[in-house]
Amino acid sequence: MPEEPPTILVVDDDQFIRELLRRVMEKEGYKVVEATNGEQGLDVYQRLKPHLVMLDALMPVMDGFTCCKHLQKLSDEDETSPDSEHLEAQGLQGVSQTPVLMITNLDDPESVDRAFAVGATDYITKPIHLAVLRQRVRRLIQQFQLYQKLEQANRELQRLATLDGLTGVANRRRFDQYLDDEWWRMIREESPLSLILCDIDFFKKYNDTYGHQAGDACLRRVADALRFCAKRSVDLVARYGGEEFAIVLPNTTTIGASLVAEELRSLVHGLKITHAASAISEYVTLSLGVASLYPEPDTPPAKLVAEADMALYQAKASGRNRYVAKV
Ligand code: GH3
Ligand code: MG
């Protein structure tokens, strides 16, 4: 698939300039779209998300300075990645935003300063020196595309850094972070937070009987089942340790969490993963501990984990393949 050419948005009330810029830029291989004033420019920007905006300063309806200010805001709203903060901390302010090149008759120092103050990336004056324009455009678009790629790569890295490599559910690091975040959110909302800790029964024997690779495959299937059960967008399934998983259930009471726990138990048992060495079933089973509380600022989230762990211990001690809820 050939890559789409970068798009340039030309905002100018002068038809002659628009046509000139279109001709020159299309010859360079770019796609060109036009707007005749700032307001229209913002509208086209939002619809087409161009790679560069060429902006005239003086236009009817909305001038270039005002338009540029609005463009910065829109561009900021588009930024979802925390990398932009990173880049800005390194003094690379605005590098990840759509570049705005002001092309204008105004060459007094105040206008130049004003343009940069409202967020213009670069500034050239009319009459346009076409060779200079071509080079500036090429550089601005190259830079923008480079930062877009960098941000995408960083986002992917960040995503991978929060996942467990074997099962694809959240890893322990993400779990700790999420539990802490939700702890504080539930304090603000005065809402209950539940946690289920679950552990595969006689998993050491499973490994000993079927081998480590089969053990890994079993972990993956159990993780998929857990993910299937924890349906709400705020629920988080994480691999807590070797064969132990955790499910964080915000805005959920003991009753709700117990229902989920029983569903998980029954689903995993229903997978019918043969486990000939299990002392309690012919299939792989789970033991689960449920804890739920209304978080408070002077209690650490570790309290919830400790309670769920205690309940899990009781589920093991009282026969496995069951859940116990801390009351
Ligand atoms: P219980 O019913 O009391 O939970 O007994 P158990 O055998 O499941 O518990 P134990 O803690 O004695 O053993 C856990 C086993 O889980 C031992 C370890 O080799 C296995 N395990 C941990 N992580 C992995 C993994 O990533 N892959 C595989 N295949 N096995 C793992
Ligand atoms: Mg176990």
Side-chain angles (χ1 to χ4, degrees):
M1 279 269 284
E3 238 180 73
E4 280 271 303
T7 304
I8 297 176
L9 166 61
V10 176
V11 190
D12 201 308
D13 58 328
D14 184 333
Q15 189 183 355
F16 173 78
I17 298 282
R18 286 202 310 274
E19 278 169 13
L20 170 75
L21 291 174
R22 173 184 284 279
R23 224 174 328 113
V24 175
M25 289 303 130
E26 283 184 346
K27 211 164 160 194
E28 290 292 294
Y30 302 118
K31 188 177 159 198
V32 177
V33 288
E34 297 177 19
T36 58
N37 63 61
E39 211 169 88
Q40 216 183 64
L42 290 176
D43 186 49
V44 179
Y45 170 86
Q46 275 180 298
R47 277 189 291 116
L48 300 180
K49 298 278 147 61
H51 296 78
L52 172 75
V53 181
M54 288 183 183
L55 197 55
D56 185 22
L58 300 180
M59 292 178 288
V61 188
M62 182 192 281
D63 69 26
F65 299 105
T66 315
C67 177
C68 192
K69 214 192 273 180
H70 286 296
L71 280 173
Q72 294 311 306
K73 266 204 212 115
L74 291 175
S75 213
D76 277 346
E77 285 163 16
D78 288 345
E79 305 262 342
T80 46
S81 103
D83 313 328
S84 21
E85 279 170 29
H86 250 29
L87 296 170
E88 289 189 5
Q90 290 164 25
L92 295 167
Q93 199 136 13
V95 286
S96 51
Q97 293 173 335
T98 311
V100 177
L101 173 59
M102 278 245 191
I103 305 179
T104 166
N105 284 314
L106 304 173
D107 60 358
D108 58 292
E110 288 77 25
S111 297
V112 178
D113 287 347
R114 200 174 151 212
F116 284 105
V118 293
T121 324
D122 210 341
Y123 193 94
I124 60 175
T125 49
K126 295 174 189 170
I128 303 167
H129 190 313
L130 290 179
V132 171
L133 177 70
R134 278 192 210 99
Q135 293 305 328
R136 296 257 174 107
V137 167
R138 189 172 307 164
R139 180 175 54 81
L140 288 172
I141 290 182
Q142 263 176 4
Q143 252 174 22
F144 179 55
Q145 288 181 318
L146 198 66
Y147 279 111
Q148 274 188 322
K149 277 192 191 136
L150 188 69
E151 282 194 347
Q152 200 183 359
N154 273 346
R155 270 197 295 273
E156 179 61 9
L157 266 179
Q158 246 152 22
R159 196 182 66 81
L160 290 175
T162 62
L163 292 185
D164 171 53
L166 178 68
T167 60
V169 298
N171 60 17
R172 176 63 183 269
R173 182 166 155 247
R174 171 86 179 115
F175 167 80
D176 288 336
Q177 176 71 55
Y178 193 74
L179 185 67
D180 202 55
D181 291 349
E182 290 305 300
W183 184 267
W184 287 100
R185 192 167 72 86
M186 292 306 104
I187 291 173
R188 288 193 298 276
E189 291 185 13
E190 297 182 9
S191 210
L193 181 63
S194 288
L195 176 69
I196 301 174
L197 282 183
C198 53
D199 183 287
I200 301 177
D201 297 322
F202 304 114
F203 196 59
K204 189 175 178 316
K205 282 190 177 148
Y206 188 90
N207 272 322
D208 293 346
T209 310
Y210 302 102
H212 206 82
Q213 274 189 333
D216 284 356
C218 173
L219 283 172
R220 274 194 221 107
R221 289 190 66 190
V222 169
D224 285 346
L226 301 184
R227 216 164 11 186
F228 177 81
C229 262
K231 293 179 200 79
R232 288 157 61 210
S233 61
V234 286
D235 297 344
L236 181 89
V237 176
R239 186 157 175 217
Y240 189 74
E243 26 86 78
E244 198 168 349
F245 294 92
I247 300 104
V248 182
L249 304 163
N251 308 97
T252 307
T253 59
T254 313
I255 297 170
S258 298
L259 285 173
V260 176
E262 175 52 26
E263 207 184 325
L264 292 171
R265 187 208 63 75
S266 144
L267 191 68
V268 168
H269 190 235
L271 290 175
K272 298 191 174 172
I273 305 171
T274 305
H275 190 347
S278 166
I280 55 156
S281 165
E282 55 185 311
Y283 303 125
V284 165
T285 55
L286 277 187
S287 294
L288 309 97
V290 178
S292 181
L293 49 79
Y294 282 82
E296 285 170 7
D298 46 10
T299 317
K303 179 160 191 250
L304 187 63
V305 179
E307 288 189 356
D309 201 33
M310 198 112 72
L312 171 60
Y313 178 80
Q314 284 169 14
K316 290 279 183 194
S318 54
R320 295 180 171 84
N321 187 25
R322 72 193 57 204
Y323 78 85
V324 168
K326 159 90 178 48
V327 278

